[in-house]
Each structure stands twice: as structure tokens, then as C-alpha cells.
Amino acid sequence: MPLYEGLKGGQGGQGAPPAARRVLPSAPAREARPSGPRAGAWREVRASVAPTVGDRAGRGWLDALLGRGSSEKLRSALGPGRAPERPARPARPGRTVRPVPRLEERPARPARVSVVGGGGEVLESPRGRRGVGRALLVVLVLGVACGMLRPWRRRGGLRPDWEALLRLPGPARDPAEARAAARAREARDAAALAGLPLRPATGTPLALWRAPDGSWWRVDASGGLAPCGDPDGAGNLGLPRLAGVAAHAEPLDGGRREALDLPAGLLGRLLPLRTTLGSEVAAIDLSDPDSPVLVTLDGTRCLLGAGDWRRAQGRLALVLADLAARGRRASQVDLRFEGTAVVRPL
């Protein structure tokens, strides 16, 4: 029981102190009523300590830094005598220091997040509305995608085959029947494409091509075709005729475009012919697109081979001029080897 010593009375200055008073932690702090024969000289004071969660009295620096109970865990891990002890604070003269009572634990409640080594303290994660925000973000992204793609405009072209989903797999079909079905399907597609309006080529005509049905077409540098009424007309003079190549139809701007089955850019590297050679060439055989063959008016076949066809045309013009100067004819001129011309005379 604490004892207050060294106190002097307010009136006499001497005298024995009354009975020691005990400080009760459970009663609120208030000034006591005066009692006894010397009520004017002594006052009775009662104080209480209200335990709170944030009270750190009596805790060491390790508990304040890492959480309540850290010093005890460190002592148990290091063993007795190894953990740093906090030096006791010296008591003031004339007073007896009472230990601070331990704080009561908070009422148990389900914790969402607990910290290991926190000295029994429980942390809770903030309760937000992240789910609502994410849902709004997804709705916004879907709305922007629908606004850009506009699927309602393409619903007419989407024709799902529900029967194929419900149809059970049947036995394997005969290969001959499969090929016949493929040919029939191609024929239907070709007929549907042929019914579309023609979009003729608008480029400068560089050659003429004769279709299997006997019709003539002008050919531009891209291989596109345009109808030609009279191949011997004034507008078609000097144009070589292409042979050994077929044509195909392809959709274009709601119609169809007719073009030759040639690699892109081939005619642009071969045509137009050189001026000194254009009047000598009657046709061009493109059975092998990588090695075109020029056919002259007198029937001489000139093999250009692969490489620079413009330079090969210049060499061919020199060879034909030399043969004409000598009055000789050749059945074939082979220019497939660089720097040479192999002539096969008649």
C-alpha cells in the first residue's frame, strides 16, 4: 500500500500524516470531500486510469516499432540473457511507482487481415466498393467496343448454321462424291460471280488477250482486262498478243473484275517492249511466267530467261538486226545466258 511521506500541513506545518490513501483505477478522478479534524489541511484525491487501445505506457521501443509483444517474442527466440532489456526508469524521491495495469483485450471479432508479430493487434483491410468500380469499367469497355464495331449493322450477314450444330456426325463420304460436291459448289459461286456487273480495267493497254470463247480483251500493267471489240483496230496497232495464260474473275465494288493469272508486277517488268523490238514481236508466250518467250512475225521463238528482261530485249534487238542484215532466219534465239545469244538457224 503506497504511503505519502514528507508532506507538511497547511496550518500547523507539522504533524503526522493521516492514513495512507489508495489510488483506485476504477473510480473517476474527483476531489474528495474534506473529513477529519484537520479537513482544511488535507485533501483526499482519487485518480483512475482508463485503458485505451492506443495507450503505449509501459511499452518498450521494440514494441512501439514492431508491435505489441515483439520484445517477448525476441526474448523467447534468443533465450534468457540475450535480448536487450529496457532499463528501468528511476523513481522520483518520495514516490512509489506502481506498474501500469495491462490493457484488456478488445472483444473478439472476425479479422480479415492479421499481422504476424503484431503483439495480438488485429488489422482490418478497408471495406471499399472495388467490385462496383470494376463492373462499371467492364461495361464502359464493352460499350466502346460495340460503338466501334457496330455489330447490329452486320447482323444480316451473320447466318449461323444451327442445323450443323444439332446434326450428328455421319459416315465418311466417298472422295469422289466430295470432289463432285466441291466442283458443284465452285460452279455455283462462278455463276453467281458472273451475274455481277463488269468493272473493266482503266489502265493503259499494253497487250491483247484472247479468251477461250473467242472474245478479245485489252490488258494493262496490273493484268486487268477490258473488253476489246476489234483487235486489228487503229487503237490496238503494235500491241503484242499474250498466250499461254488464263484469266479469273474477282469481286470488286459490288461487281466483278477480270484479270490474268499472273504474278503481281510481272507485266510491268516485261511491257511495254523496246521501240526497236516492238514492231518485230507478234506474241508473247507466258506458259512459264519466269521465262517468257517472244514470238516474232516470222515465227522465231526468243527465250528471254530469268533476270533483267529489259536488257535481254536490247540484246535480242541486236541479234535480229544482224540476222536481217545477213538475210538469214532462225527458228530460235536463246538469251538465257548472260552475255551470249545462241541462235538456231532454219
Side-chain angles (χ1 to χ4, degrees):
M1 180 181 302
L3 184 63
Y4 291 86
E5 299 177 355
L7 298 179
K8 296 182 178 180
Q11 296 179 357
Q14 295 180 357
R21 301 299 181 180
R22 183 179 181 181
V23 179
L24 301 179
S26 59
R30 60 186 179 85
E31 185 178 356
R33 297 179 180 178
S35 60
R38 304 181 62 181
W42 294 91
R43 290 186 300 173
E44 180 182 358
V45 179
R46 296 179 181 270
S48 64
V49 178
T52 59
V53 177
D55 187 11
R56 299 186 179 180
R59 295 169 57 182
W61 63 271
L62 194 60
D63 293 343
L65 180 63
L66 302 180
R68 188 183 301 276
S70 300
S71 57
E72 288 78 0
K73 293 182 181 295
L74 183 60
R75 293 191 188 94
S76 60
L78 299 179
R82 296 185 180 182
E85 296 289 344
R86 181 182 180 182
R89 181 179 299 178
R92 296 180 181 178
R95 294 186 58 185
T96 303
V97 180
R98 291 174 54 86
V100 179
R102 297 182 59 86
L103 302 180
E104 298 180 358
E105 300 292 339
R106 291 190 299 177
R109 53 186 300 183
R112 302 179 63 183
V113 179
S114 60
V115 180
V116 178
E121 295 184 0
V122 179
L123 302 179
E124 295 186 1
S125 60
R127 301 175 181 267
R129 297 184 178 179
R130 298 183 179 178
V132 177
R134 293 172 184 174
L136 293 178
L137 179 60
V138 172
V139 172
L140 178 60
V141 171
L142 293 178
V144 173
C146 292
M148 295 177 62
L149 299 178
R150 299 179 181 179
W152 55 87
R153 293 189 176 183
R154 298 180 174 87
R155 62 181 180 180
L158 299 177
R159 298 177 181 177
D161 190 2
W162 301 108
E163 296 181 359
L165 296 177
L166 302 177
R167 189 184 306 119
L168 296 177
R173 300 178 58 182
D174 186 19
E177 295 180 359
R179 289 193 296 269
R183 287 194 297 269
R185 184 168 56 255
E186 292 176 359
R188 290 195 302 268
D189 295 342
L193 189 60
L196 298 177
L198 177 64
R199 298 288 186 266
T202 57
T204 304
L206 301 178
L208 298 176
W209 177 76
R210 186 177 183 180
D213 58 358
S215 60
W216 287 92
W217 301 75
R218 294 188 181 95
V219 185
D220 61 4
S222 64
L225 302 179
C228 176
D230 184 11
D232 298 328
N236 300 325
L237 294 178
L239 296 180
R241 301 180 179 184
L242 303 180
V245 62
H248 67 278
E250 56 188 18
L252 177 66
D253 297 337
R256 79 178 193 278
R257 173 180 179 265
E258 299 286 343
L260 297 179
D261 297 334
L262 293 174
L266 185 143
L267 292 179
R269 295 187 293 115
L270 179 62
L271 299 174
L273 297 175
R274 285 180 174 268
T275 306
T276 57
L277 192 61
S279 59
E280 299 289 338
V281 176
I284 301 176
D285 187 1
L286 294 176
S287 301
D288 184 4
D290 295 331
S291 180
V293 178
L294 306 183
V295 182
T296 62
L297 295 175
D298 56 3
T300 304
R301 295 176 59 85
C302 306
L303 284 66
L304 297 183
D308 190 355
W309 291 335
R310 304 294 296 179
R311 294 180 55 188
Q313 291 179 26
R315 290 159 52 201
L316 178 59
L318 295 177
V319 172
L320 293 180
D322 183 70
L323 291 176
R326 296 184 182 186
R328 303 180 62 179
R329 297 178 57 189
S331 61
Q332 178 177 306
V333 178
D334 191 351
L335 301 172
R336 292 177 297 177
F337 303 100
E338 184 68 25
T340 61
V342 181
V343 179
R344 181 181 296 177
L346 290 175

